Amino acid sequence: MTGSMVSIGECMVEMAPTQDGLYSRGFAGDTFNTAWYLARLMPEGTTVDYYTAVGTDGLSDRMIAFMGDGGVGTSHIRRLSDRTVGLYMIELANGERSFIYWRGTSAAKRLASDRAALAEALVGRSLVLFSGITMAIIDAEDRDAFLSALQTARGNGATIVFDPNMRARLWPDAQTMRDTITAAASVADIVLPSFDEDQREFGDTDPQATIARYRALGVGCVVVKNGAGVVYAQDGDEMATFEPVAVKNVVDTTAAGDSFNAGFIAARLGGAGLRISIEKGSRLAAQVVQKRGALVDIAD
Ligand code: AMP
């Protein structure tokens, strides 16, 4: 199968502690992580692009080069001379990881401000992926136009995939977050939430309630991830559950959901059934949580 995919959002510089105040630099971000894994999983001939905005400085150049090295296409990425990329540092205290972010003025906030560039990046796509973090970080006045552009892509045949990825600290208030997440899910064909977030933010009592809430918006396929718990899904009239393989040595759950999304999408587009596609996503995520970092080498 060939096709043309684009994932849209923010990739950031990651500073991860190594030893004695030293850090190693990486690049990561939810929608980028999914694109990076998709580039590994999709058959030859499939285009997997990332769409964002970065600066024109050397660090932005290195981020773009890193994406290209991972097989992710960068030709549509906007370059803004007055901005640069966002950054986060991982802090380790007594074995607990915490994250500190510098992203308030990042170039990616403006990824939807050039309507023509956005429309151009969406032309001819078979699949478009975005997340609640994409919606949170883009300038608020661009959100409606961004969703309209996705609607147009959908009308032109693209499957729209949305991961709600709700991060309260990126939003001015909980109601704005819920309203925007609901509007974003309404333009999607596939929604891939994580139950703990939907329980917390929408008060869903169980994964079936999460499925019902998104399906009521017209979403055809909903797959509810749930950490080590059972995944529940419905696509049209087909329902499925899958219990992830137990992982004894969980090292770092960063990008568990992002990699699951890639494994699920690749399998589903390849013609696999709903349950098998969930299994593929879970097996990939199980590999990812056993290694440190968002982007890890995976077995075939
Ligand atoms: P989450 O977004 O945390 O719900 O996780 C996404 C997916 O990663 C889950 O559906 C599982 O397939 C996998 N996963 C996350 N945490 C674990 C864990 N502790 N053990 C096994 N699989 C996990």
Side-chain angles (χ1 to χ4, degrees), residues 59-96:
L59 190 55
S60 298
D61 290 345
R62 278 191 280 280
M63 179 184 281
I64 297 272
F66 178 83
M67 291 176 175
D69 289 346
V72 176
T74 60
S75 59
H76 288 276
I77 292 177
R78 295 182 63 208
R79 308 295 300 256
L80 306 176
S81 58
D82 59 342
R83 299 253 178 149
T84 189
V85 289
L87 166 89
Y88 66 93
M89 281 179 112
I90 301 172
E91 272 292 292
L92 267 181
N94 306 322
E96 285 290 312

PDB file of all heavy atoms in Angstrom, residues 59-96:
ATOM      1  N   LEU A  59      20.043  25.300  15.338  1.00  0.00           N
ATOM      2  CA  LEU A  59      19.346  24.261  16.110  1.00  0.00           C
ATOM      3  C   LEU A  59      18.125  23.756  15.328  1.00  0.00           C
ATOM      4  O   LEU A  59      17.856  22.552  15.282  1.00  0.00           O
ATOM      5  CB  LEU A  59      18.927  24.844  17.466  1.00  0.00           C
ATOM      6  CG  LEU A  59      18.404  23.878  18.516  1.00  0.00           C
ATOM      7  CD1 LEU A  59      19.384  22.753  18.794  1.00  0.00           C
ATOM      8  CD2 LEU A  59      18.091  24.644  19.807  1.00  0.00           C
ATOM      9  N   SER A  60      17.409  24.692  14.706  1.00  0.00           N
ATOM     10  CA  SER A  60      16.266  24.292  13.867  1.00  0.00           C
ATOM     11  C   SER A  60      16.755  23.437  12.696  1.00  0.00           C
ATOM     12  O   SER A  60      16.106  22.450  12.332  1.00  0.00           O
ATOM     13  CB  SER A  60      15.537  25.535  13.348  1.00  0.00           C
ATOM     14  OG  SER A  60      15.010  26.298  14.418  1.00  0.00           O
ATOM     15  N   ASP A  61      17.907  23.819  12.128  1.00  0.00           N
ATOM     16  CA  ASP A  61      18.474  23.012  11.028  1.00  0.00           C
ATOM     17  C   ASP A  61      18.735  21.585  11.494  1.00  0.00           C
ATOM     18  O   ASP A  61      18.470  20.624  10.781  1.00  0.00           O
ATOM     19  CB  ASP A  61      19.820  23.597  10.551  1.00  0.00           C
ATOM     20  CG  ASP A  61      19.658  24.910   9.814  1.00  0.00           C
ATOM     21  OD1 ASP A  61      18.525  25.245   9.420  1.00  0.00           O
ATOM     22  OD2 ASP A  61      20.690  25.605   9.638  1.00  0.00           O
ATOM     23  N   ARG A  62      19.277  21.464  12.710  1.00  0.00           N
ATOM     24  CA  ARG A  62      19.608  20.122  13.217  1.00  0.00           C
ATOM     25  C   ARG A  62      18.340  19.297  13.474  1.00  0.00           C
ATOM     26  O   ARG A  62      18.321  18.092  13.262  1.00  0.00           O
ATOM     27  CB  ARG A  62      20.484  20.211  14.463  1.00  0.00           C
ATOM     28  CG  ARG A  62      21.957  20.417  14.101  1.00  0.00           C
ATOM     29  CD  ARG A  62      22.862  20.248  15.302  1.00  0.00           C
ATOM     30  NE  ARG A  62      22.861  21.457  16.109  1.00  0.00           N
ATOM     31  CZ  ARG A  62      23.570  22.546  15.835  1.00  0.00           C
ATOM     32  NH1 ARG A  62      24.352  22.574  14.772  1.00  0.00           N
ATOM     33  NH2 ARG A  62      23.525  23.592  16.616  1.00  0.00           N
ATOM     34  N   MET A  63      17.294  19.986  13.934  1.00  0.00           N
ATOM     35  CA  MET A  63      16.025  19.271  14.126  1.00  0.00           C
ATOM     36  C   MET A  63      15.501  18.740  12.790  1.00  0.00           C
ATOM     37  O   MET A  63      15.084  17.580  12.686  1.00  0.00           O
ATOM     38  CB  MET A  63      14.990  20.198  14.779  1.00  0.00           C
ATOM     39  CG  MET A  63      13.642  19.518  14.978  1.00  0.00           C
ATOM     40  SD  MET A  63      12.381  20.624  15.630  1.00  0.00           S
ATOM     41  CE  MET A  63      12.815  20.675  17.368  1.00  0.00           C
ATOM     42  N   ILE A  64      15.552  19.582  11.782  1.00  0.00           N
ATOM     43  CA  ILE A  64      15.068  19.173  10.448  1.00  0.00           C
ATOM     44  C   ILE A  64      15.909  17.992   9.936  1.00  0.00           C
ATOM     45  O   ILE A  64      15.371  17.028   9.374  1.00  0.00           O
ATOM     46  CB  ILE A  64      15.173  20.366   9.468  1.00  0.00           C
ATOM     47  CG1 ILE A  64      14.258  21.496   9.929  1.00  0.00           C
ATOM     48  CG2 ILE A  64      14.890  19.925   8.036  1.00  0.00           C
ATOM     49  CD1 ILE A  64      12.849  21.438   9.442  1.00  0.00           C
ATOM     50  N   ALA A  65      17.222  18.073  10.146  1.00  0.00           N
ATOM     51  CA  ALA A  65      18.105  16.991   9.684  1.00  0.00           C
ATOM     52  C   ALA A  65      17.779  15.691  10.419  1.00  0.00           C
ATOM     53  O   ALA A  65      17.756  14.603   9.827  1.00  0.00           O
ATOM     54  CB  ALA A  65      19.566  17.378   9.908  1.00  0.00           C
ATOM     55  N   PHE A  66      17.504  15.805  11.727  1.00  0.00           N
ATOM     56  CA  PHE A  66      17.145  14.620  12.525  1.00  0.00           C
ATOM     57  C   PHE A  66      15.868  13.975  11.983  1.00  0.00           C
ATOM     58  O   PHE A  66      15.766  12.750  11.874  1.00  0.00           O
ATOM     59  CB  PHE A  66      16.959  15.027  13.990  1.00  0.00           C
ATOM     60  CG  PHE A  66      16.545  13.894  14.880  1.00  0.00           C
ATOM     61  CD1 PHE A  66      17.491  13.010  15.397  1.00  0.00           C
ATOM     62  CD2 PHE A  66      15.208  13.697  15.194  1.00  0.00           C
ATOM     63  CE1 PHE A  66      17.104  11.955  16.209  1.00  0.00           C
ATOM     64  CE2 PHE A  66      14.815  12.644  16.007  1.00  0.00           C
ATOM     65  CZ  PHE A  66      15.763  11.768  16.506  1.00  0.00           C
ATOM     66  N   MET A  67      14.896  14.793  11.654  1.00  0.00           N
ATOM     67  CA  MET A  67      13.645  14.263  11.087  1.00  0.00           C
ATOM     68  C   MET A  67      13.934  13.514   9.786  1.00  0.00           C
ATOM     69  O   MET A  67      13.462  12.385   9.584  1.00  0.00           O
ATOM     70  CB  MET A  67      12.668  15.415  10.812  1.00  0.00           C
ATOM     71  CG  MET A  67      12.137  16.077  12.059  1.00  0.00           C
ATOM     72  SD  MET A  67      11.096  17.502  11.601  1.00  0.00           S
ATOM     73  CE  MET A  67      10.512  17.980  13.223  1.00  0.00           C
ATOM     74  N   GLY A  68      14.719  14.152   8.923  1.00  0.00           N
ATOM     75  CA  GLY A  68      15.037  13.526   7.636  1.00  0.00           C
ATOM     76  C   GLY A  68      15.772  12.210   7.826  1.00  0.00           C
ATOM     77  O   GLY A  68      15.489  11.213   7.145  1.00  0.00           O
ATOM     78  N   ASP A  69      16.702  12.172   8.793  1.00  0.00           N
ATOM     79  CA  ASP A  69      17.441  10.931   9.067  1.00  0.00           C
ATOM     80  C   ASP A  69      16.497   9.817   9.505  1.00  0.00           C
ATOM     81  O   ASP A  69      16.783   8.635   9.307  1.00  0.00           O
ATOM     82  CB  ASP A  69      18.490  11.151  10.174  1.00  0.00           C
ATOM     83  CG  ASP A  69      19.644  12.010   9.690  1.00  0.00           C
ATOM     84  OD1 ASP A  69      19.765  12.208   8.465  1.00  0.00           O
ATOM     85  OD2 ASP A  69      20.404  12.504  10.556  1.00  0.00           O
ATOM     86  N   GLY A  70      15.383  10.201  10.125  1.00  0.00           N
ATOM     87  CA  GLY A  70      14.399   9.217  10.568  1.00  0.00           C
ATOM     88  C   GLY A  70      13.415   8.825   9.476  1.00  0.00           C
ATOM     89  O   GLY A  70      12.461   8.088   9.747  1.00  0.00           O
ATOM     90  N   GLY A  71      13.619   9.364   8.283  1.00  0.00           N
ATOM     91  CA  GLY A  71      12.729   9.003   7.178  1.00  0.00           C
ATOM     92  C   GLY A  71      11.449   9.821   7.136  1.00  0.00           C
ATOM     93  O   GLY A  71      10.511   9.495   6.403  1.00  0.00           O
ATOM     94  N   VAL A  72      11.416  10.891   7.938  1.00  0.00           N
ATOM     95  CA  VAL A  72      10.229  11.748   7.984  1.00  0.00           C
ATOM     96  C   VAL A  72      10.453  12.936   7.042  1.00  0.00           C
ATOM     97  O   VAL A  72      11.474  13.623   7.141  1.00  0.00           O
ATOM     98  CB  VAL A  72       9.973  12.245   9.431  1.00  0.00           C
ATOM     99  CG1 VAL A  72       8.805  13.224   9.477  1.00  0.00           C
ATOM    100  CG2 VAL A  72       9.723  11.058  10.360  1.00  0.00           C
ATOM    101  N   GLY A  73       9.502  13.165   6.147  1.00  0.00           N
ATOM    102  CA  GLY A  73       9.626  14.240   5.161  1.00  0.00           C
ATOM    103  C   GLY A  73       9.431  15.609   5.788  1.00  0.00           C
ATOM    104  O   GLY A  73       8.572  15.797   6.657  1.00  0.00           O
ATOM    105  N   THR A  74      10.233  16.578   5.370  1.00  0.00           N
ATOM    106  CA  THR A  74      10.232  17.907   6.006  1.00  0.00           C
ATOM    107  C   THR A  74       9.984  19.039   5.008  1.00  0.00           C
ATOM    108  O   THR A  74      10.103  20.207   5.379  1.00  0.00           O
ATOM    109  CB  THR A  74      11.595  18.154   6.690  1.00  0.00           C
ATOM    110  OG1 THR A  74      12.626  18.087   5.691  1.00  0.00           O
ATOM    111  CG2 THR A  74      11.882  17.116   7.763  1.00  0.00           C
ATOM    112  N   SER A  75       9.639  18.710   3.769  1.00  0.00           N
ATOM    113  CA  SER A  75       9.654  19.737   2.723  1.00  0.00           C
ATOM    114  C   SER A  75       8.610  20.840   2.919  1.00  0.00           C
ATOM    115  O   SER A  75       8.763  21.927   2.394  1.00  0.00           O
ATOM    116  CB  SER A  75       9.481  19.091   1.343  1.00  0.00           C
ATOM    117  OG  SER A  75       8.274  18.375   1.298  1.00  0.00           O
ATOM    118  N   HIS A  76       7.553  20.559   3.681  1.00  0.00           N
ATOM    119  CA  HIS A  76       6.527  21.592   3.873  1.00  0.00           C
ATOM    120  C   HIS A  76       6.734  22.422   5.136  1.00  0.00           C
ATOM    121  O   HIS A  76       5.991  23.378   5.382  1.00  0.00           O
ATOM    122  CB  HIS A  76       5.128  20.952   3.923  1.00  0.00           C
ATOM    123  CG  HIS A  76       4.672  20.465   2.587  1.00  0.00           C
ATOM    124  ND1 HIS A  76       4.065  21.277   1.664  1.00  0.00           N
ATOM    125  CD2 HIS A  76       4.773  19.250   2.011  1.00  0.00           C
ATOM    126  CE1 HIS A  76       3.782  20.578   0.572  1.00  0.00           C
ATOM    127  NE2 HIS A  76       4.211  19.346   0.759  1.00  0.00           N
ATOM    128  N   ILE A  77       7.696  22.051   5.967  1.00  0.00           N
ATOM    129  CA  ILE A  77       7.873  22.742   7.259  1.00  0.00           C
ATOM    130  C   ILE A  77       8.212  24.217   7.039  1.00  0.00           C
ATOM    131  O   ILE A  77       9.077  24.558   6.232  1.00  0.00           O
ATOM    132  CB  ILE A  77       8.961  22.034   8.102  1.00  0.00           C
ATOM    133  CG1 ILE A  77       8.435  20.662   8.530  1.00  0.00           C
ATOM    134  CG2 ILE A  77       9.357  22.881   9.313  1.00  0.00           C
ATOM    135  CD1 ILE A  77       9.431  19.825   9.303  1.00  0.00           C
ATOM    136  N   ARG A  78       7.518  25.090   7.776  1.00  0.00           N
ATOM    137  CA  ARG A  78       7.740  26.527   7.635  1.00  0.00           C
ATOM    138  C   ARG A  78       8.981  26.948   8.425  1.00  0.00           C
ATOM    139  O   ARG A  78       9.228  26.429   9.511  1.00  0.00           O
ATOM    140  CB  ARG A  78       6.538  27.316   8.159  1.00  0.00           C
ATOM    141  CG  ARG A  78       5.271  27.089   7.346  1.00  0.00           C
ATOM    142  CD  ARG A  78       4.145  27.929   7.901  1.00  0.00           C
ATOM    143  NE  ARG A  78       4.435  29.350   7.782  1.00  0.00           N
ATOM    144  CZ  ARG A  78       3.958  30.287   8.599  1.00  0.00           C
ATOM    145  NH1 ARG A  78       3.192  29.954   9.614  1.00  0.00           N
ATOM    146  NH2 ARG A  78       4.255  31.554   8.416  1.00  0.00           N
ATOM    147  N   ARG A  79       9.730  27.902   7.898  1.00  0.00           N
ATOM    148  CA  ARG A  79      10.909  28.434   8.581  1.00  0.00           C
ATOM    149  C   ARG A  79      10.637  29.903   8.891  1.00  0.00           C
ATOM    150  O   ARG A  79      10.400  30.693   7.978  1.00  0.00           O
ATOM    151  CB  ARG A  79      12.160  28.326   7.679  1.00  0.00           C
ATOM    152  CG  ARG A  79      12.432  26.936   7.099  1.00  0.00           C
ATOM    153  CD  ARG A  79      12.762  25.896   8.133  1.00  0.00           C
ATOM    154  NE  ARG A  79      13.922  26.165   8.936  1.00  0.00           N
ATOM    155  CZ  ARG A  79      15.117  25.565   8.782  1.00  0.00           C
ATOM    156  NH1 ARG A  79      15.298  24.656   7.851  1.00  0.00           N
ATOM    157  NH2 ARG A  79      16.125  25.845   9.588  1.00  0.00           N
ATOM    158  N   LEU A  80      10.667  30.262  10.171  1.00  0.00           N
ATOM    159  CA  LEU A  80      10.376  31.637  10.597  1.00  0.00           C
ATOM    160  C   LEU A  80      11.640  32.263  11.172  1.00  0.00           C
ATOM    161  O   LEU A  80      12.205  31.740  12.141  1.00  0.00           O
ATOM    162  CB  LEU A  80       9.271  31.645  11.664  1.00  0.00           C
ATOM    163  CG  LEU A  80       7.967  30.916  11.303  1.00  0.00           C
ATOM    164  CD1 LEU A  80       7.001  30.920  12.497  1.00  0.00           C
ATOM    165  CD2 LEU A  80       7.305  31.561  10.091  1.00  0.00           C
ATOM    166  N   SER A  81      12.059  33.393  10.604  1.00  0.00           N
ATOM    167  CA  SER A  81      13.342  33.972  11.004  1.00  0.00           C
ATOM    168  C   SER A  81      13.290  34.627  12.379  1.00  0.00           C
ATOM    169  O   SER A  81      14.323  34.838  13.012  1.00  0.00           O
ATOM    170  CB  SER A  81      13.812  34.981   9.955  1.00  0.00           C
ATOM    171  OG  SER A  81      12.824  35.975   9.810  1.00  0.00           O
ATOM    172  N   ASP A  82      12.074  34.943  12.879  1.00  0.00           N
ATOM    173  CA  ASP A  82      11.981  35.639  14.172  1.00  0.00           C
ATOM    174  C   ASP A  82      11.608  34.710  15.326  1.00  0.00           C
ATOM    175  O   ASP A  82      11.301  35.170  16.420  1.00  0.00           O
ATOM    176  CB  ASP A  82      10.961  36.781  14.082  1.00  0.00           C
ATOM    177  CG  ASP A  82       9.578  36.287  13.696  1.00  0.00           C
ATOM    178  OD1 ASP A  82       9.472  35.150  13.165  1.00  0.00           O
ATOM    179  OD2 ASP A  82       8.599  37.013  13.930  1.00  0.00           O
ATOM    180  N   ARG A  83      11.646  33.414  15.108  1.00  0.00           N
ATOM    181  CA  ARG A  83      11.290  32.446  16.165  1.00  0.00           C
ATOM    182  C   ARG A  83      12.284  31.292  16.135  1.00  0.00           C
ATOM    183  O   ARG A  83      13.007  31.105  15.169  1.00  0.00           O
ATOM    184  CB  ARG A  83       9.898  31.868  15.906  1.00  0.00           C
ATOM    185  CG  ARG A  83       8.788  32.907  15.892  1.00  0.00           C
ATOM    186  CD  ARG A  83       7.985  32.784  17.141  1.00  0.00           C
ATOM    187  NE  ARG A  83       6.940  33.785  17.220  1.00  0.00           N
ATOM    188  CZ  ARG A  83       5.780  33.592  17.828  1.00  0.00           C
ATOM    189  NH1 ARG A  83       5.492  32.433  18.375  1.00  0.00           N
ATOM    190  NH2 ARG A  83       4.898  34.560  17.911  1.00  0.00           N
ATOM    191  N   THR A  84      12.219  30.461  17.190  1.00  0.00           N
ATOM    192  CA  THR A  84      12.980  29.211  17.140  1.00  0.00           C
ATOM    193  C   THR A  84      12.149  28.092  17.766  1.00  0.00           C
ATOM    194  O   THR A  84      10.976  28.294  18.092  1.00  0.00           O
ATOM    195  CB  THR A  84      14.369  29.345  17.803  1.00  0.00           C
ATOM    196  OG1 THR A  84      15.112  28.147  17.530  1.00  0.00           O
ATOM    197  CG2 THR A  84      14.258  29.540  19.318  1.00  0.00           C
ATOM    198  N   VAL A  85      12.771  26.936  17.892  1.00  0.00           N
ATOM    199  CA  VAL A  85      12.039  25.766  18.374  1.00  0.00           C
ATOM    200  C   VAL A  85      11.905  25.789  19.899  1.00  0.00           C
ATOM    201  O   VAL A  85      12.720  26.390  20.598  1.00  0.00           O
ATOM    202  CB  VAL A  85      12.752  24.463  17.924  1.00  0.00           C
ATOM    203  CG1 VAL A  85      12.576  24.283  16.426  1.00  0.00           C
ATOM    204  CG2 VAL A  85      14.232  24.483  18.285  1.00  0.00           C
ATOM    205  N   GLY A  86      10.872  25.115  20.421  1.00  0.00           N
ATOM    206  CA  GLY A  86      10.672  24.993  21.857  1.00  0.00           C
ATOM    207  C   GLY A  86      11.637  23.973  22.455  1.00  0.00           C
ATOM    208  O   GLY A  86      12.251  23.161  21.738  1.00  0.00           O
ATOM    209  N   LEU A  87      11.769  24.022  23.788  1.00  0.00           N
ATOM    210  CA  LEU A  87      12.740  23.190  24.485  1.00  0.00           C
ATOM    211  C   LEU A  87      12.129  22.635  25.768  1.00  0.00           C
ATOM    212  O   LEU A  87      11.335  23.322  26.408  1.00  0.00           O
ATOM    213  CB  LEU A  87      13.947  24.070  24.848  1.00  0.00           C
ATOM    214  CG  LEU A  87      14.957  23.532  25.845  1.00  0.00           C
ATOM    215  CD1 LEU A  87      16.032  22.740  25.116  1.00  0.00           C
ATOM    216  CD2 LEU A  87      15.609  24.649  26.629  1.00  0.00           C
ATOM    217  N   TYR A  88      12.484  21.401  26.131  1.00  0.00           N
ATOM    218  CA  TYR A  88      12.160  20.934  27.489  1.00  0.00           C
ATOM    219  C   TYR A  88      13.344  20.191  28.083  1.00  0.00           C
ATOM    220  O   TYR A  88      14.134  19.582  27.375  1.00  0.00           O
ATOM    221  CB  TYR A  88      10.889  20.089  27.530  1.00  0.00           C
ATOM    222  CG  TYR A  88      10.924  18.758  26.822  1.00  0.00           C
ATOM    223  CD1 TYR A  88      11.267  17.580  27.506  1.00  0.00           C
ATOM    224  CD2 TYR A  88      10.583  18.659  25.487  1.00  0.00           C
ATOM    225  CE1 TYR A  88      11.260  16.357  26.863  1.00  0.00           C
ATOM    226  CE2 TYR A  88      10.574  17.432  24.833  1.00  0.00           C
ATOM    227  CZ  TYR A  88      10.924  16.285  25.530  1.00  0.00           C
ATOM    228  OH  TYR A  88      10.929  15.079  24.882  1.00  0.00           O
ATOM    229  N   MET A  89      13.449  20.315  29.394  1.00  0.00           N
ATOM    230  CA  MET A  89      14.490  19.597  30.137  1.00  0.00           C
ATOM    231  C   MET A  89      13.835  18.573  31.037  1.00  0.00           C
ATOM    232  O   MET A  89      12.778  18.842  31.624  1.00  0.00           O
ATOM    233  CB  MET A  89      15.302  20.557  31.001  1.00  0.00           C
ATOM    234  CG  MET A  89      16.340  21.313  30.230  1.00  0.00           C
ATOM    235  SD  MET A  89      17.224  22.430  31.310  1.00  0.00           S
ATOM    236  CE  MET A  89      18.819  21.681  31.322  1.00  0.00           C
ATOM    237  N   ILE A  90      14.447  17.419  31.106  1.00  0.00           N
ATOM    238  CA  ILE A  90      13.960  16.390  32.023  1.00  0.00           C
ATOM    239  C   ILE A  90      14.766  16.501  33.308  1.00  0.00           C
ATOM    240  O   ILE A  90      16.002  16.527  33.269  1.00  0.00           O
ATOM    241  CB  ILE A  90      14.129  14.985  31.399  1.00  0.00           C
ATOM    242  CG1 ILE A  90      13.351  14.907  30.075  1.00  0.00           C
ATOM    243  CG2 ILE A  90      13.656  13.906  32.377  1.00  0.00           C
ATOM    244  CD1 ILE A  90      13.605  13.641  29.278  1.00  0.00           C
ATOM    245  N   GLU A  91      14.059  16.623  34.423  1.00  0.00           N
ATOM    246  CA  GLU A  91      14.697  16.707  35.734  1.00  0.00           C
ATOM    247  C   GLU A  91      14.501  15.383  36.448  1.00  0.00           C
ATOM    248  O   GLU A  91      13.393  14.838  36.464  1.00  0.00           O
ATOM    249  CB  GLU A  91      14.028  17.811  36.556  1.00  0.00           C
ATOM    250  CG  GLU A  91      14.627  19.182  36.346  1.00  0.00           C
ATOM    251  CD  GLU A  91      16.034  19.282  36.891  1.00  0.00           C
ATOM    252  OE1 GLU A  91      16.207  19.230  38.111  1.00  0.00           O
ATOM    253  OE2 GLU A  91      16.958  19.381  36.060  1.00  0.00           O
ATOM    254  N   LEU A  92      15.554  14.865  37.025  1.00  0.00           N
ATOM    255  CA  LEU A  92      15.453  13.608  37.775  1.00  0.00           C
ATOM    256  C   LEU A  92      15.665  13.922  39.249  1.00  0.00           C
ATOM    257  O   LEU A  92      16.689  14.489  39.626  1.00  0.00           O
ATOM    258  CB  LEU A  92      16.548  12.641  37.328  1.00  0.00           C
ATOM    259  CG  LEU A  92      16.219  11.641  36.220  1.00  0.00           C
ATOM    260  CD1 LEU A  92      17.437  10.775  35.957  1.00  0.00           C
ATOM    261  CD2 LEU A  92      15.021  10.787  36.597  1.00  0.00           C
ATOM    262  N   ALA A  93      14.675  13.590  40.075  1.00  0.00           N
ATOM    263  CA  ALA A  93      14.834  13.758  41.521  1.00  0.00           C
ATOM    264  C   ALA A  93      14.328  12.490  42.191  1.00  0.00           C
ATOM    265  O   ALA A  93      13.152  12.135  42.040  1.00  0.00           O
ATOM    266  CB  ALA A  93      14.059  14.982  42.004  1.00  0.00           C
ATOM    267  N   ASN A  94      15.209  11.794  42.880  1.00  0.00           N
ATOM    268  CA  ASN A  94      14.871  10.526  43.550  1.00  0.00           C
ATOM    269  C   ASN A  94      14.210   9.537  42.586  1.00  0.00           C
ATOM    270  O   ASN A  94      13.226   8.882  42.921  1.00  0.00           O
ATOM    271  CB  ASN A  94      13.937  10.768  44.750  1.00  0.00           C
ATOM    272  CG  ASN A  94      14.506  11.786  45.712  1.00  0.00           C
ATOM    273  OD1 ASN A  94      15.721  11.788  45.941  1.00  0.00           O
ATOM    274  ND2 ASN A  94      13.671  12.658  46.239  1.00  0.00           N
ATOM    275  N   GLY A  95      14.732   9.484  41.367  1.00  0.00           N
ATOM    276  CA  GLY A  95      14.215   8.530  40.387  1.00  0.00           C
ATOM    277  C   GLY A  95      12.944   8.979  39.691  1.00  0.00           C
ATOM    278  O   GLY A  95      12.492   8.352  38.747  1.00  0.00           O
ATOM    279  N   GLU A  96      12.343  10.090  40.150  1.00  0.00           N
ATOM    280  CA  GLU A  96      11.108  10.602  39.516  1.00  0.00           C
ATOM    281  C   GLU A  96      11.477  11.607  38.436  1.00  0.00           C
ATOM    282  O   GLU A  96      12.279  12.505  38.662  1.00  0.00           O
ATOM    283  CB  GLU A  96      10.229  11.299  40.563  1.00  0.00           C
ATOM    284  CG  GLU A  96       9.503  10.369  41.507  1.00  0.00           C
ATOM    285  CD  GLU A  96       8.396   9.585  40.815  1.00  0.00           C
ATOM    286  OE1 GLU A  96       7.598  10.204  40.096  1.00  0.00           O
ATOM    287  OE2 GLU A  96       8.362   8.347  40.995  1.00  0.00           O
TER     288      GLU A  96
END
